[in-house]
Amino acid sequence: MSTPTRIRATLKDGGTELRMLFSHPMENGLRKDAEGNRIPAHFITEVSVRRNGEIVLAADFGPSIATNPYLAFSITGGAAGDEIVVSWRDNLGDTRSDAIRVA
Amino acid sequence: MDSRRRDVLKAGGGLGLWSVLAAAGIVAPAQAQDARNVAAFEATTLDDALRALDAGNAAESGAIRIVAPDVAEDGRAVAISVVSDIPRTEQIVILIEENPWKVAASFRLSAAMAPSIQTRVKMARSTRVHALVKADGRLFAARREVTVTVGGCGT
């Protein structure tokens, strides 16, 4: 079970500012736990952000992205009611999508 | 003569339809290159990563800004942003030179996106950070140093 991505969208200066915080361990496969056992690699590999069904950003991640990845960027235009959908897939094949409406 | 049309005709010989259309700006890059560059993400040397990204000859550009702290106390999460002032920026790649795997992330931007991205990366130790920008099919590069007090890759 994965935890929802926290998404914030703010209309500003004719554009939409997007900030998102993914909940994911982003293990690179090199760290060891308290007993000295190697923690297997477990990290998000792909992210997509859509507005009203149109892709605005597609990203690939490696394990150098920090635990609980954070992304912030702006897109042109936008209006209250726009649907923002943020999706990810990780190296173990888990996926998750979360959506918000721009307020 | 329209140089973009000429490029299409030139590229038509050996490349797939999508890359030809993307080169001509007919389809968005995100549609054309939606496959992860596995070789780049698995690269454990900077040279291998740059080769996989076809960035060996990327031109130095002052129009790319890497915003990061000069000194990062905690290498587990270092805030970094890359801002490109290069017209028609379509891709931004962030590389952390001293990390076990060099490519941190690759962002494929739609035309709706402002060419600026902010995230947080791990840094194993003090390192150079590289930003590659693809714009209008050409690659540009910038780099900057970040001093890390406590490393964050667990090695």
Side-chain angles (χ1 to χ4, degrees):
Chain A
M1 272 302 283
S2 51
T3 309
T5 301
R6 285 166 56 197
I7 309 165
R8 294 279 179 280
T10 313
L11 294 174
K12 194 179 171 190
D13 301 332
T16 307
E17 282 186 0
L18 296 175
R19 286 175 294 155
M20 52 208 70
L21 189 63
F22 303 84
S23 181
H24 203 282
M26 298 300 285
E27 288 290 351
N28 63 9
L30 299 175
R31 296 194 328 126
K32 290 177 177 162
D33 64 18
E35 277 91 56
N37 301 310
R38 213 164 267 270
I39 304 169
H42 187 202
F43 57 94
I44 291 176
T45 54
E46 289 167 46
V47 171
S48 72
V49 181
R50 287 178 170 77
R51 172 170 61 189
N52 300 331
E54 291 243 335
I55 196 148
V56 293
L57 173 67
D60 295 315
F61 283 1
S64 290
I65 295 292
T67 303
N68 298 329
Y70 173 75
L71 284 185
F73 57 95
S74 293
I75 51 181
T76 54
D82 283 351
E83 187 191 44
I84 306 293
V85 177
V86 178
S87 308
W88 57 256
R89 172 187 296 276
D90 70 20
N91 67 315
L92 303 181
D94 290 334
T95 61
R96 174 165 195 107
S97 273
D98 295 281
I100 62 156
R101 293 272 173 195
V102 177
Chain B
M1 165 134 184
D2 181 351
S3 69
R4 274 168 59 197
R5 181 163 176 272
R6 210 161 47 221
D7 288 342
V8 173
L9 297 175
K10 253 192 316 210
L15 296 171
L17 174 66
W18 285 116
S19 52
V20 175
L21 295 177
I26 293 165
V27 294
Q31 276 175 280
Q33 323 167 350
D34 52 3
R36 181 183 182 83
N37 187 334
V38 174
F41 276 96
E42 289 183 349
T44 53
T45 69
L46 186 68
D47 281 350
D48 285 350
L50 293 176
R51 197 173 306 126
L53 290 161
D54 214 11
N57 297 317
E60 287 288 318
S61 174
I64 304 168
R65 266 179 299 143
I66 302 172
V67 183
D70 291 325
V71 178
E73 301 286 337
D74 182 356
R76 289 175 301 180
V78 182
I80 176 170
S81 56
V82 176
V83 183
S84 167
D85 292 327
I86 304 171
R88 302 183 63 179
T89 290
E90 58 207 43
Q91 187 181 13
I92 295 175
V93 183
I94 300 173
L95 299 95
I96 312 296
E97 187 168 333
E98 295 294 330
N99 278 8
W101 292 277
K102 308 306 174 189
V103 179
S106 166
F107 301 95
R108 299 186 298 276
L109 285 56
S110 69
M113 195 174 141
S116 166
I117 186 89
Q118 187 185 345
T119 187
R120 295 182 192 133
V121 297
K122 299 174 202 167
M123 294 183 182
R125 62 185 78 88
S126 297
T127 185
R128 261 202 298 198
V129 175
H130 301 248
L132 289 177
V133 167
K134 192 178 204 179
D136 218 0
R138 296 181 57 205
L139 279 163
F140 301 88
R143 17 185 99 65
R144 78 166 275 162
E145 304 277 344
V146 176
T147 299
V148 176
T149 312
V150 179
C153 280
T155 50

